[in-house]
Amino acid sequence: MARPVEADVVLACGEHLPAVDVWIVIDVLRATTVITRWFELGGGDLYPVASTTEARELTSRLSSEEGMSRPLLMGEENAIPPEGFDLGNSPLDLSREIIRAHPCGVMSTSNGTIALLSAAATGTPVIAACVRNASAALDHALSVGQRLGLLCAGRRRRPAWDDTLCAGLILNELRKIHPEVILADSARLALLAWQSSQGHLLESMRTADHAVFLDRIGYGEDIDFSCEQNVASIVPLLYEEPEGDGMRAILRAVLGNARQYPPQPTPGPEPEDFTPLLQYAYEEGDTAHFFLGKNRRKG
Ligand code: MLT
């Protein structure tokens, strides 16, 4: 008899990590959303590191390696770009042009990259998930094993509403596939968070402490972008490669087979103002992404 699917949620990085078959790491605002966007736009290897100092050192070392172009150095401290970084941590700052100019990236954030590295240290497969790739990430996790661990980055080692909400969204999807899933108490809490939003994800997400803070410092659009559900079928996975006498974590992506991707268009003629955008897609050959409306950004 097949083992039942089990789901456990760690509400904040720093809590004990139980034994699971796969970690789904969540930092919706904004590290795992940025990571997913990086790969959506065709990004190459992405190195998550635990501090801005290490990020600068790794960028410098990779830049000096034979045949290596300079990595894109990105991330945040208190949500803003650290001194000398190429980009901060807004998913809207990424574009195809920037990514083409930097075939790899180095990323350091307050909570998200640390959560990824904590999960990697357990030796268990690690997936980066957010609202944008939730179904694809879940599908991939289920292909790895039955004991799913959702690791919420949280905020300053405390539970965060945004990540807990996203964990609940994923668990809600999981229960549709496996109604018999066994939920740990923390997973039940995350599911209750999702259910309390009654489907109004963006409205609920905007009440998160970090969302309020981001909005106040001018990153409100990042919240809307981070709440676009299942618009990406990209699944970032964490690999480790030998480096000196240790291991280096590297994110690479596979294309998932998210059930909802691409979202089915509403029937009826394309409104006039979409024509130029659709033309852009065909010209760029970017038919992998679907136009969801005015908010389609030239990536
Ligand atoms: C985090 O690591 O929690 C996020 O990167 C914070 C942010 O992007 O503002």
Side-chain angles (χ1 to χ4, degrees):
M1 179 179 167
R3 284 182 57 179
V5 174
E6 300 171 41
D8 201 338
V9 172
V10 173
L11 292 169
C13 187
E15 284 181 11
H16 164 68
L17 298 185
V20 295
D21 296 327
V22 56
W23 281 110
I24 299 172
V25 177
I26 299 167
D27 184 7
V28 184
L29 301 177
R30 301 163 289 182
T32 54
T33 298
V34 168
I35 289 166
T36 301
R37 186 63 176 161
W38 165 271
F39 290 112
E40 273 183 82
L41 293 176
D45 286 355
L46 184 55
Y47 296 84
V49 296
S51 71
T52 53
T53 304
E54 185 183 349
R56 292 189 183 96
E57 287 166 357
L58 179 59
T59 300
S60 169
R61 185 161 56 73
L62 290 173
S63 304
S64 62
E65 281 181 9
E66 188 64 31
M68 278 286 281
S69 307
R70 184 181 182 284
L72 183 71
L73 177 54
M74 58 192 190
E76 53 74 35
E77 272 177 337
N78 295 318
I80 56 175
E83 181 68 33
F85 274 43
D86 302 311
L87 282 188
N89 201 38
S90 170
L92 299 180
D93 286 348
L94 284 172
S95 70
R96 288 185 192 285
E97 290 73 24
I98 287 175
I99 287 175
R100 278 194 198 108
H102 298 83
C104 72
V106 175
M107 181 182 195
S108 165
T109 71
S110 312
N111 307 281
T113 52
I114 293 167
L116 284 163
L117 297 170
S118 302
T122 67
T124 302
V126 178
I127 293 167
C130 60
V131 171
R132 294 177 65 83
N133 75 338
S135 284
L138 175 60
D139 280 357
H140 190 90
L142 287 168
S143 72
V144 174
Q146 288 91 358
R147 295 178 304 164
L148 310 187
L150 286 77
L151 172 50
C152 296
R155 192 174 187 227
R156 301 193 189 111
R157 305 172 75 82
R158 304 276 313 280
W161 183 253
D162 43 321
D163 295 337
T164 306
L165 199 55
C166 183
L169 182 159
I170 292 172
L171 292 171
N172 188 58
E173 293 282 302
L174 175 59
R175 280 209 319 182
K176 290 177 190 170
I177 307 166
H178 291 284
E180 78 291 350
V181 60
I182 298 169
L183 298 176
D185 283 359
S186 52
R188 293 168 57 200
L189 288 170
L191 191 57
L192 281 173
W194 165 254
Q195 290 166 342
S196 74
S197 73
Q198 295 177 328
H200 302 292
L201 173 63
L202 177 56
E203 199 176 304
S204 183
M205 189 69 77
R206 282 191 161 279
T207 67
D209 288 348
H210 196 50
V212 171
F213 174 67
L214 286 173
D215 194 41
R216 195 174 297 149
I217 62 173
Y219 286 113
E221 272 195 56
D222 287 1
I223 305 157
D224 303 58
F225 183 84
S226 301
C227 284
E228 292 174 355
Q229 290 188 44
N230 291 324
V231 292
S233 65
I234 283 286
V235 182
L237 306 178
L238 201 73
Y239 297 82
E240 289 195 293
E241 290 186 350
E243 180 189 84
D245 55 7
M247 298 298 280
R248 169 63 63 193
I250 304 173
L251 284 160
R252 293 181 178 128
V254 294
L255 197 56
N257 52 358
R259 293 177 303 288
Q260 298 180 25
Y261 183 87
Q264 297 313 308
T266 44
E270 287 299 339
E272 270 316 297
D273 57 357
F274 284 176
T275 307
L277 288 173
L278 290 172
Q279 192 53 43
Y280 151 69
Y282 298 135
E283 278 165 10
E284 294 275 309
D286 178 9
T287 50
H289 291 78
F290 218 79
F291 289 93
L292 304 176
K294 293 185 174 30
N295 66 346
R296 179 70 170 89
R297 290 172 185 79
K298 192 169 172 64

